[in-house]
Amino acid sequence: RAQRLLQLGGAEGRWYLMATNQEIEAEAAKPMVWFQHDVNAAYDMKLELVIDEFGMAGYGRWWRLCELLAAETGHKVEVGDERKAKIMARKLSTNVGDLLKYLRFLSDIELICMPGDGFIWNERMINQARTTGEKRANGKRGGRPRKTAVKT
């Protein structure tokens, strides 16, 4: 099995074993507790289209959907059956009909992927999860020691 090495600078010239792709993918699939987003996201052309079509409620619904995707294992959400769609509609403060209209719109403007298998996801979220997974996996290999609580 191939391993990657990273050389760190300094007088020691230490080499550290990097995480494998399998380790990175396993960590990337785990729920994220936060995700990066641009502070001027409302000016993104796709989100401007969301605001034009659904108002600020649609914009807020977008960020709630991103939170749900980030918190889900694998960063995909199932909306394919009626029960799952009803739960998702409740989480996004809407009804099933309006949810499906909203998701189709997001898919049409390529904010989400909705291939017809009952799951939806966002490509940018998947990429960010991979970056986070790589950091987690490499962190498990070594580097900075974990912080421990001081007992008094």
Side-chain angles (χ1 to χ4, degrees):
R1 139 180 135 178
Q3 297 282 334
R4 296 182 302 160
L5 294 173
L6 172 70
Q7 184 175 16
L8 299 180
E12 306 87 30
R14 294 185 190 150
W15 289 85
Y16 290 91
L17 197 57
M18 300 296 289
T20 65
N21 283 336
Q22 185 178 8
E23 291 168 326
I24 292 169
E25 292 302 323
E27 290 298 322
K30 292 180 179 178
M32 296 188 296
V33 295
W34 65 274
F35 59 92
Q36 275 185 309
H37 71 283
D38 300 329
V39 296
N40 60 351
Y43 301 108
D44 175 87
M45 182 57 68
K46 292 177 183 180
L47 288 177
E48 284 190 10
L49 291 171
V50 171
I51 293 167
D52 286 349
E53 185 72 19
F54 298 98
M56 290 307 286
Y59 181 69
R61 192 166 284 135
W62 164 250
W63 289 113
R64 179 63 181 131
L65 179 59
C66 287
E67 292 169 355
L68 294 170
L69 289 168
E72 196 68 31
T73 299
H75 313 292
K76 296 180 179 184
V77 175
E78 186 177 2
V79 293
D81 68 45
E82 189 177 331
R83 269 181 347 142
K84 300 284 175 106
K86 193 173 185 178
I87 292 168
M88 179 60 64
R90 181 179 45 76
K91 288 180 177 182
L92 295 177
S93 298
T94 190
N95 59 59
V96 173
D98 288 344
L99 170 70
L100 296 177
K101 177 182 172 189
Y102 182 73
L103 294 177
R104 276 192 296 277
F105 182 84
L106 295 179
S107 178
D108 288 346
I109 63 171
E110 298 177 347
L111 269 175
I112 63 169
C113 298
M114 197 165 75
D117 63 355
F119 288 87
I120 61 168
W121 71 89
N122 172 269
E123 193 67 35
R124 186 171 175 183
M125 186 71 67
I126 298 290
N127 291 338
Q128 190 172 124
R130 178 147 173 78
T131 300
T132 301
E134 187 170 14
K135 290 177 183 177
R136 286 176 178 171
N138 285 326
K140 286 183 174 183
R141 292 264 180 172
R144 192 179 311 178
R146 292 181 181 239
K147 295 179 181 177
T148 56
V150 176
K151 294 183 180 180
T152 57

